[in-house]
């Protein structure tokens, strides 16, 4: 650390007073951190995004002060090896010096002008060069915005209303994309309270990777389907790798029926190569959604594709989409600095090797402890599933969640910060090294043994 100080001032820290009981289902607990107690009175569940609440693993969220390289620092100064890495956005690690220097230089000029800047043009040019099939791009503020906007654009371009999505994929919290499979195999029901059934009436939700279901939905509704939206490698139900023929089948069906194929690469874009994941898998979509890495850890999103499609976006066309903070100097600068380092250093072979080392070590450590696990990995992104022999009444998912919760807390005790949910992916960064993986595997070996004892 460079001694630049805490995020909060001492005066702000003194303002954390505990008065009254926490709200939102968080019970009073003498061990509950003061910051979290206050947060629970002021924010739903004490957090600004659900998975941060630790509800999937139990316990109290870690209060974070800062980070450097591959490590998080909590408010006591304790350090943790981080495998969350800003949910995949920090591929260079925390507070990378080149990104920080670029931000410091840029922020002397200001940070949001509500007008065109040269940095936006440079980032747009880079994305059009690096991402296959993208001729024009629109910067937005989040992955949710990117996916929502791409779907709207596809509907306008095709003149159709129906959209196909897959149950294991996540495309943000826009109403039309918060769905679960309906009873007839093609329709959808809302997966969130507050989403009226009418909002998902034109969304068709299928099992991820099921080619037969995909062919069936096109046979039933092909002339009505505007778009198929999919994560080419799933990252929000653990790591989900598609079967070899699934994405080519989707491409072929979209071509046959005049439907647009949208790849949601908010997680995967620039994660495995300098550019899109679709190029690696041999399938080119019509529209691509990006986020996370292209902002270097600051809020950003983008969607892009062929010029004839993108020219429908306002002000050129009638597809309205706007944003006060879109293309703001801070996010664009951090993104450019990150992408420049990635292009210059090409760390992807190293990240893949590190991922392979971690995968092998986790599988061996679990086996040594007498546990059966499956490590799902694609490059530097992986997830861990427990496959216990004795499955209780709650079924495999509930038992896996229980095992994972115990494993998570055993790892946290040993200074390893994992995603606080079994359904989220782990991420490696260029700041991780073989020694970090060795330390993680030592901790995991001990944690697996403790999990095995509890059963």
């Amino acid at each position: 650390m460079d001694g630049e100080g805490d995020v909060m001032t001492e005066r702000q820290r003194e303002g954390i007073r505990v008065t009254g009981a926490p709200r939102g289902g968080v019970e009073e607990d003498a061990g509950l951190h003061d910051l979290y107690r206050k947060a629970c009175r002021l924010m739903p569940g004490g957090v600004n995004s659900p998975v941060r609440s630790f509800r999937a693993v139990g316990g109290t969220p870690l209060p974070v002060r800062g980070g450097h390289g591959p490590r998080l620092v909590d408010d006591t100064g304790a350090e943790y090896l981080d495998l969350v890495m800003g949910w995949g956005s920090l591929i260079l690690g925390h507070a990378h010096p080149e990104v920080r220097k670029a931000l410091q230089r840029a922020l002397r000029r200001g940070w949001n002008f509500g007008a065109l800047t040269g940095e936006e043009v440079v980032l747009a040019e880079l994305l059009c060069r690096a991402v296959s099939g993208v001729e024009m791009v629109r910067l937005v503020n989040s992955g949710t915005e990117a996916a929502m906007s791409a779907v709207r654009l596809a509907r306008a371009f095709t003149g159709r209303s129906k959209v196909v999505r897959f149950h294991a994929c996540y495309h943000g919290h826009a109403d039309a994309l918060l769905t679960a499979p309906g009873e007839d195999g093609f329709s959808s029901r809302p997966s969130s309270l507050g989403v009226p059934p009418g909002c998902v009436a034109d969304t068709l939700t299928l099992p991820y990777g099921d080619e037969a279901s995909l062919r069936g939905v096109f046979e039933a509704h092909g002339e009505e389907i505007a778009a198929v939206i999919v994560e080419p490698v799933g990252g929000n139900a653990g790591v989900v790798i598609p079967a070899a023929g699934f994405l080519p089948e989707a491409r072929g069906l979209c071509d046959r029926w005049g439907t647009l194929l949208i790849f949601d690469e908010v997680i995967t874009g620039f994660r495995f190569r300098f550019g899109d994941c679709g190029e690696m898998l041999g399938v080119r979509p019509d529209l691509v959604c990006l986020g996370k890495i292209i902002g270097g850890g600051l809020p950003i999103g983008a969607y892009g594709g062929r010029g004839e499609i993108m020219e429908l976006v306002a002000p050129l066309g009638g597809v309205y989409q706007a944003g006060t903070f879109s293309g703001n100097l801070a996010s664009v600068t951090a993104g450019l600095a990150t992408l420049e380092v990635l292009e210059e250093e090409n760390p992807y072979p190293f990240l893949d090797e590190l991922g392979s080392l971690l995968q092998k070590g986790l599988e061996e450590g679990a086996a040594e402890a007498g546990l059966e696990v499956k490590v799902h990995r694609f490059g530097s992104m992986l997830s861990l599933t427990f496959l216990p022999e004795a499955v209780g009444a709650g079924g495999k998912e509930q038992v896996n969640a229980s095992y994972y919760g115990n494993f998570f807390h055993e790892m946290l005790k040993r200074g390893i910060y994992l995603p606080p949910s079994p359904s989220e992916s782990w991420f490696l960064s260029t700041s991780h090294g073989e020694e970090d993986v060795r330390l993680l595997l030592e901790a995991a070996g001990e944690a697996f043994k403790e999990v095995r004892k509890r059963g």
Side-chain angles (χ1 to χ4, degrees):
M1 293 292 283
D2 56 12
E4 288 186 353
D6 202 342
V7 173
M8 291 191 293
T9 65
E10 286 304 313
R11 181 176 178 182
Q12 288 170 329
R13 283 187 165 278
E14 289 172 3
I16 300 171
R17 300 273 192 263
V18 181
T19 55
R23 298 178 183 173
V26 180
E27 297 179 358
E28 187 73 23
D29 183 337
L32 201 63
H33 190 277
D34 284 352
L35 178 64
Y36 184 51
R37 285 182 180 176
K38 185 170 186 179
C40 288
R41 293 196 304 276
L42 300 172
M43 301 183 292
V47 292
N48 282 311
S49 189
V51 75
R52 302 177 193 175
S53 71
F54 278 37
R55 292 215 170 183
V57 294
T60 304
L62 186 71
V64 174
R65 176 191 297 178
H68 61 99
R71 286 171 171 76
L72 284 178
V73 183
D74 73 13
D75 67 343
T76 71
E79 296 193 357
Y80 301 80
L81 186 64
D82 185 12
L83 272 292
V84 176
M85 300 312 300
W87 301 102
S89 63
L90 295 170
I91 195 169
L92 302 182
H94 293 281
H96 189 277
E98 292 301 318
V99 178
R100 183 164 53 185
K101 288 175 188 175
L103 279 169
Q104 288 170 339
R105 288 193 300 267
L107 295 180
R108 295 189 188 106
R109 295 157 42 199
W111 38 88
N112 186 34
F113 309 115
L116 181 66
T117 65
E119 284 82 357
E120 291 173 83
V121 178
V122 174
L123 180 57
E125 183 178 37
L126 189 156
L127 295 177
C128 289
R129 169 169 59 87
V131 181
S132 57
V134 172
E135 298 173 347
M136 298 182 77
V137 66
R138 170 60 63 86
L139 300 181
V140 292
N141 297 291
S142 68
T144 291
E145 266 193 70
M148 176 183 69
S149 302
V151 166
R152 181 181 300 162
L153 179 56
R155 284 172 164 158
F157 184 78
T158 61
R160 303 171 180 177
S161 61
K162 292 191 182 299
V163 173
V164 174
R165 67 170 297 267
F166 300 93
H167 186 45
C169 297
Y170 175 70
H171 308 293
H173 57 268
D175 283 0
L177 298 175
L178 277 179
T179 66
E183 294 180 358
D184 65 358
F186 291 156
S187 67
S188 297
R189 54 186 173 82
S191 61
S192 169
L193 295 176
V195 176
C199 288
V200 301
D202 286 321
T203 306
L204 307 170
T205 305
L206 308 180
Y208 186 85
D210 190 330
E211 295 176 38
S213 293
L214 188 58
R215 288 191 292 269
V217 79
F218 270 99
E219 289 169 5
H221 300 286
E223 294 181 353
E224 304 170 87
I225 299 174
V228 172
I229 185 168
V230 61
E231 290 181 286
V233 175
N236 288 281
V239 176
V240 184
I241 302 171
F246 173 58
L247 294 176
E249 179 75 2
R251 177 70 276 175
L253 287 167
C254 286
D255 289 341
R256 175 184 171 189
W257 290 95
T259 296
L260 296 190
L261 179 61
I262 304 171
F263 275 4
D264 182 341
E265 296 223 36
V266 170
I267 291 177
T268 58
F270 295 89
R271 166 55 55 181
F272 312 120
R273 64 180 290 271
F274 191 77
D276 57 307
C277 181
E279 184 75 10
M280 294 177 65
L281 300 173
V283 177
R284 177 171 290 189
D286 300 292
L287 292 169
V288 178
C289 302
L290 299 165
K292 294 189 184 290
I293 289 172
I294 70 163
L298 271 67
I300 203 167
Y303 62 103
R306 300 196 311 272
E308 63 176 319
I309 303 174
M310 294 300 296
E311 286 173 355
L312 284 178
V313 178
L316 289 182
V319 177
Y320 188 74
Q321 179 270 309
T324 297
F325 303 103
S326 297
N328 74 84
L329 183 62
S331 295
V332 170
T333 295
L336 277 173
T338 297
L339 295 178
E340 286 169 1
V341 171
L342 290 175
E343 185 168 28
E344 181 179 340
E345 297 184 358
N346 185 29
Y348 299 104
F350 163 75
L351 286 171
D352 186 54
E353 290 175 9
L354 211 59
S356 177
L357 183 65
L358 179 54
Q359 177 182 18
K360 181 180 178 182
L362 287 169
E363 290 171 342
E364 290 176 350
E368 186 177 335
L371 288 170
E372 185 180 0
V373 303
K374 173 65 176 176
V375 180
H376 311 268
R377 183 181 73 89
F378 197 94
S380 58
M381 184 170 83
L382 64 159
S383 60
L384 176 70
T385 301
F386 286 87
L387 304 169
E389 295 177 3
V391 176
K396 291 182 179 179
E397 287 188 9
Q398 184 172 326
V399 173
N400 174 56
S402 174
Y403 274 58
Y404 184 87
N406 290 335
F407 181 72
F408 170 87
H409 285 289
E410 290 297 331
M411 292 293 277
L412 195 64
K413 288 179 190 176
R414 292 165 174 80
I416 311 294
Y417 186 66
L418 303 176
S421 167
S423 64
E424 299 291 341
S425 297
W426 306 10
F427 296 97
L428 290 163
S429 74
T430 62
S431 65
H432 290 93
E434 291 187 9
E435 178 64 16
D436 296 309
V437 171
R438 186 187 66 78
L439 290 172
L440 188 153
L441 292 175
E442 285 182 3
E446 296 172 1
F448 282 135
K449 291 174 184 177
E450 291 298 321
V451 170
R452 179 62 175 170
K453 287 178 186 177
R454 299 186 193 183

